[in-house]
Amino acid sequence: MTFLARVLRVLRALLRAVGTALIVPLLLFEEWGWEPLAALAARLSRLPFWAALEDRLRRLPPWGAVLAFFVPVLLLLPVKVLALFLFSRGHAATGLTVLVLAKLAGTAVVARIFQLVEGPLMRIPWFARWYPRWKAWKDRVLTIVRQSRPWRLVRALNRRISRGWRRFREG
């Protein structure tokens, strides 16, 4: 193996490790919030307008389903610009609150949209090929994270806090 090939191999491994480290917090947030936030968004289907909107989403053709994901991005763009404006004016706490709320709302809407259009998306060949691979990779990464000592310590601490809080409320 040539020197250049070894350097490229090391660089690729380094980029993979850095990329994984950067994406793990996002994966953890999505994993934590995806189902509960989608369920919360699903409750909106009790409203006639929202139920009609969901029905239209279910009937989208495959590429329409892909385009449906751009709607939350476009709707949240002005909110994110507002957060940046707030940061620039020295309102860091308010800006951060706006960003967190935008992330929560965006995740709820995107998760619900995905639940509604997964079928049409799976009719797109490249999506049907890559989504299971992405999901398997994500599951492997999350399994490694969940087996790590810091994760187990934080989970144990959370359980202890939850038990203490329940005892406090009951007693």
Side-chain angles (χ1 to χ4, degrees):
M1 180 183 296
T2 68
F3 175 74
L4 181 60
R6 278 185 270 155
V7 168
L8 288 175
R9 195 165 146 190
V10 168
L11 281 175
R12 187 170 62 194
L14 181 64
L15 281 173
R16 182 176 285 165
V18 169
T20 300
L22 290 175
I23 203 166
V24 163
L26 179 64
L27 289 175
L28 289 172
F29 173 77
E30 296 291 338
E31 184 74 12
W32 164 82
W34 192 266
E35 290 298 322
L37 291 171
L40 185 65
R43 288 183 184 175
L44 292 173
S45 66
R46 296 177 191 157
L47 303 171
F49 169 77
W50 201 266
L53 185 62
E54 284 192 359
D55 187 49
R56 293 189 87 174
L57 282 168
R58 281 187 193 92
R59 290 184 282 125
L60 284 174
W63 287 101
V66 170
L67 291 175
F69 287 103
F70 289 104
V71 172
V73 171
L74 291 175
L75 291 176
L76 288 174
L77 189 60
V79 176
K80 292 177 180 180
V81 170
L82 170 65
L84 288 174
F85 174 77
L86 291 168
F87 278 120
S88 74
R89 298 293 179 173
H91 301 284
T94 307
L96 183 62
T97 301
V98 168
L99 278 177
V100 167
L101 291 175
K103 180 63 179 161
L104 289 170
T107 300
V109 171
V110 167
R112 184 63 181 152
I113 289 173
F114 185 78
Q115 287 177 341
L116 296 169
V117 300
E118 184 176 4
L121 288 174
M122 293 306 276
R123 292 194 314 253
I124 300 172
W126 63 265
F127 188 87
R129 185 176 75 238
W130 286 104
Y131 178 70
R133 291 178 184 181
W134 156 255
K135 185 110 173 74
W137 176 82
K138 182 184 84 159
D139 291 343
R140 280 193 311 273
V141 169
L142 290 175
T143 298
I144 291 167
V145 169
R146 287 185 187 116
Q147 292 172 351
S148 70
R149 183 167 171 75
W151 179 267
R152 290 192 322 263
L153 290 171
V154 167
R155 293 278 298 173
L157 179 63
N158 280 343
R159 282 191 297 270
R160 188 177 288 162
I161 290 170
S162 292
R163 280 193 305 266
W165 178 250
R166 272 195 304 273
R167 276 190 242 124
F168 175 74
R169 282 191 352 218
E170 292 170 0

